[in-house]
Amino acid sequence: MNTKLIIVDGPSSVGKSSISKSVYKQISLDQATYWLHEECENHPIRFNEFSFGALDTAEGMELNRIGMLKKWMAFRDSIISSGKVCVTEGCLLHAYDRYFIHSLWNEDDILTYYAQVLEVIGELNPLIVFLYRPDLRKSLEKAFIARGQWWRDLILRRDDMHVYFKQHVYVNEDSMFDAVAFEQRKMLEIFDRLQCSKIKIDTSEEQWEQYVQDIISSLDSKYHNIEPPACDMQPYLGTYRWQNGTEADDWIINYDDTNQCLYTSLFWPYMPMRCLADHVFELISFPVELHFQQDKNGMQFRVHGNYDWEYNDQLFIRV
């Protein structure tokens, strides 16, 4: 496989994390590979992304262009020196709805920037995967149930500086749904004009294994059927408290009868878990594993992963 960089991108709620992680696991069975969640610690692109200048001035955006191209150069060089394939998510086209909607760049400026990025990473023979949903509002409404009110407020907060409202009047939260749909349309237009290997997937049916197979097939790589290990989930249920924390830091693990999996409500109301091996579970879609053990103090787990939070390497004990 000649591709050394795979970017899974698209708007929020369409499955970027789940698919990129699954693609990583597939490729890693055949060759050295690593995965970067977009919120991992010190992501080579996302960390301090577009922080080099103001978004609303020509001088600031020129500083951002130069600074971001240097980031992409360093990212390219790190992948080459690692000798590994890198799978990451949300760090290319997602810049449109994070930054460009508030910048003074026009469509030509944005397309020029993406052409320059692709020129920088060209020797990695990158594959850009764009995930989308025609009914993005339906997708978001479903995600709000799993992710909670704070995430709904984040996505739908009034944004009068959004480029969409240069030609549209804000009325209520329906206006923000329209603005988010506008963002997806613009990202799709940009994606269609990218000059590189790419694949576009409508994830509305949530046929996750099929989508991963399609991506792996486009890479001329082998798809592996991975059987999950047999696991008795009952011993892991309960409320766990951070060793150095308080009740506010409790990590509650429950069982979902419908989906037959464990889930936690740490910072989203519903974060599904999957068994990886004896006494090891992962948070699906996150670069986080929980390693359990039973000792004289009862069941406990230690957090292993690369996510930008304070729980890395911390111990939780069941109370």
Side-chain angles (χ1 to χ4, degrees), residues 104-285:
L104 52 65
W105 272 2
N106 59 32
E107 184 173 303
D108 288 340
D109 295 325
I110 294 169
L111 290 172
T112 297
Y113 167 74
Y114 281 120
Q116 291 171 331
V117 171
L118 291 179
E119 183 177 359
V120 166
I121 62 176
E123 63 186 287
L124 299 174
N125 190 26
L127 172 68
I128 312 302
V129 181
F130 189 80
L131 310 180
Y132 73 102
R133 295 191 180 181
D135 190 345
L136 189 55
R137 177 168 186 160
K138 181 180 178 180
S139 177
L140 287 169
E141 293 281 20
K142 182 177 180 179
F144 294 152
I145 296 173
R147 303 183 186 188
Q149 185 63 40
W150 73 269
W151 198 76
R152 181 188 182 96
D153 293 341
L154 176 68
I155 297 297
L156 298 181
R157 70 178 184 271
R158 180 167 179 165
D159 182 3
D160 292 331
M161 301 303 294
H162 193 296
V163 65
Y164 178 77
F165 295 111
K166 290 182 177 179
Q167 297 181 338
H168 300 82
V169 176
Y170 179 91
V171 178
N172 52 34
E173 74 171 19
D174 290 339
S175 299
M176 284 310 304
F177 277 116
D178 291 340
V180 172
F182 169 85
E183 293 165 10
Q184 178 176 253
R185 290 196 301 273
K186 299 306 292 185
M187 283 190 275
L188 277 166
E189 291 173 9
I190 295 166
F191 171 83
D192 287 340
R193 297 179 68 173
L194 296 180
Q195 300 297 310
C196 65
S197 297
K198 55 188 180 181
I199 179 172
K200 180 166 53 179
I201 301 174
D202 175 354
T203 63
S204 300
E205 298 301 319
E206 299 190 356
Q207 300 296 317
W208 305 117
E209 287 190 25
Q210 184 58 56
Y211 306 146
V212 174
Q213 288 185 43
D214 292 343
I215 295 168
I216 296 300
S217 175
S218 74
L219 292 164
D220 292 325
S221 189
K222 179 181 179 182
Y223 180 83
H224 301 266
N225 290 311
I226 304 174
E227 294 294 331
C231 177
D232 179 7
M233 301 181 190
Q234 293 301 315
Y236 307 102
L237 300 178
T239 299
Y240 295 78
R241 185 159 298 165
W242 194 0
Q243 187 178 36
N244 300 315
T246 65
E247 184 177 348
D249 301 303
D250 284 356
W251 193 318
I252 302 171
I253 297 176
N254 292 306
Y255 182 71
D256 179 347
D257 288 308
T258 301
N259 295 306
Q260 297 185 337
C261 71
L262 296 182
Y263 72 95
T264 180
S265 53
L266 187 60
F267 58 87
W268 289 355
Y270 187 88
M271 301 174 68
M273 299 167 58
R274 177 166 48 207
C275 183
L276 295 179
D278 287 344
H279 309 304
V280 180
F281 286 79
E282 67 174 348
L283 296 183
I284 297 175
S285 303

Side-chain angles (χ1 to χ4, degrees), residues 287-305:
V288 176
E289 294 180 0
L290 310 182
H291 291 236
F292 289 84
Q293 67 175 29
Q294 179 84 39
D295 71 0
K296 62 181 180 180
N297 295 318
M299 184 66 79
Q300 57 187 242
F301 66 80
R302 189 172 294 277
V303 180
H304 294 254

Side-chain angles (χ1 to χ4, degrees), residues 32-86:
T33 311
Y34 65 103
W35 176 54
L36 295 175
H37 187 281
E38 62 181 340
E39 302 298 339
C40 71
E41 292 184 297
N42 299 319
H43 190 290
I45 300 300
R46 286 283 292 123
F47 182 68
N48 288 334
E49 187 178 25
F50 282 90
S51 63
F52 303 95
L55 298 177
D56 59 353
T57 70
E59 296 81 4
M61 286 306 291
E62 178 60 13
L63 290 173
N64 279 315
R65 184 188 66 80
I66 294 171
M68 289 306 300
L69 290 178
K70 288 181 178 178
K71 270 182 167 288
W72 283 103
M73 291 174 191
F75 187 26
R76 173 202 62 199
D77 294 345
S78 70
I79 295 171
I80 293 172
S81 64
S82 75
K84 300 178 181 180
V85 175
C86 176

